Amino acid sequence: MSRRTHRPALLAALALALAPLTGCSGVGVGGAGPVAVAPPPPEKAFGQACAALSGNGPGSADGMGSTPLLTAIDQTKDLSQLSALVKTAKAKDIFDSMENVTVFAPNDAAFAKLPEDQKKALATQPGAGDLVRKLIVVRDLRKDDLQDKQYNTLQGAVIKATGSGEDYRIGGAQVLCGSIKTANARLAILDTVPAFG
């Protein structure tokens, strides 16, 4: 007897986005068995605004390392609008289920700069959900991965990353603090809502 499994549409999209990443099985030539690959060394957060996240406890860069992504966003005072956007999109399950992804997080000032018609669209579940999915790349993007590359977002849009040294931009938005590691994702705080292709 077949069993039908019902999943939210966003979870299905996430699974499809993850599928290409599973093609590298780690099995040696001739099926000799799994090949152990050492994880990359930890990477420190970078950017001019990272100092504001210093210290210990909730909302600090160190404290986020063991904190689930959505909780980390909720505890960061400059990301209250993004936290509200996730709630409007009813996307909590998506954030709770994600592993090894990167989320580009516009700060509160970025949302304040949006035109009124876009703010109204983001106050609806479809509009909020569309932007939330555009801010997620299903890859763990480290600093070196942001040098003149482009990536497909969970929503299917293209986002461009450019920069070097300590100056990086995502879809034209400046990375204020990037490579913030949470328990299940990497976070980059932006000064503007990025543009997408």
Side-chain angles (χ1 to χ4, degrees):
M1 183 174 70
S2 64
R3 177 183 298 176
R4 299 181 62 187
T5 303
H6 298 279
R7 296 182 179 179
L10 291 180
L11 285 173
L14 179 60
L16 288 173
L18 282 167
L21 303 180
T22 61
C24 182
S25 63
V27 177
V29 177
V35 177
V37 179
E43 180 173 270
K44 287 189 64 176
F46 68 91
Q48 59 179 305
C50 291
L53 300 176
S54 62
N56 300 306
S60 68
D62 290 340
M64 289 186 193
S66 58
T67 304
L69 171 63
L70 190 53
T71 302
I73 290 173
D74 289 342
Q75 292 177 345
T76 303
K77 61 181 180 180
D78 206 24
L79 297 180
S80 63
Q81 292 301 308
L82 178 61
S83 177
L85 189 76
V86 174
K87 291 179 175 64
T88 300
K90 301 188 185 304
K92 182 181 184 299
D93 288 347
I94 297 300
F95 278 77
D96 288 345
S97 67
M98 292 190 300
E99 294 285 346
N100 297 319
V101 304
T102 300
V103 175
F104 298 115
N107 64 8
D108 290 349
F111 284 102
K113 290 188 287 188
L114 292 174
E116 289 302 318
D117 59 338
Q118 193 168 353
K119 289 179 182 178
K120 289 180 180 178
L122 294 180
T124 68
Q125 184 178 350
D130 185 66
L131 180 57
V132 165
R133 293 191 300 273
K134 285 181 176 177
L135 296 173
I136 300 170
V137 171
V138 189
R139 282 187 58 179
D140 181 24
L141 300 179
R142 297 164 69 88
K143 188 177 181 181
D144 288 347
D145 297 317
L146 303 181
Q147 297 180 5
D148 300 319
K149 303 276 181 70
Q150 65 180 32
Y151 298 97
N152 290 322
T153 70
L154 182 59
Q155 186 265 2
V158 174
I159 194 166
K160 294 181 179 180
T162 58
S164 61
E166 296 297 310
D167 184 15
Y168 289 85
R169 292 183 180 273
I170 306 297
Q174 186 173 15
V175 177
L176 297 176
C177 186
S179 206
I180 303 168
K181 200 72 177 77
T182 71
N184 60 324
R186 200 175 294 273
L187 187 67
I189 299 176
L190 309 180
D191 72 339
T192 308
V193 175
F196 304 93

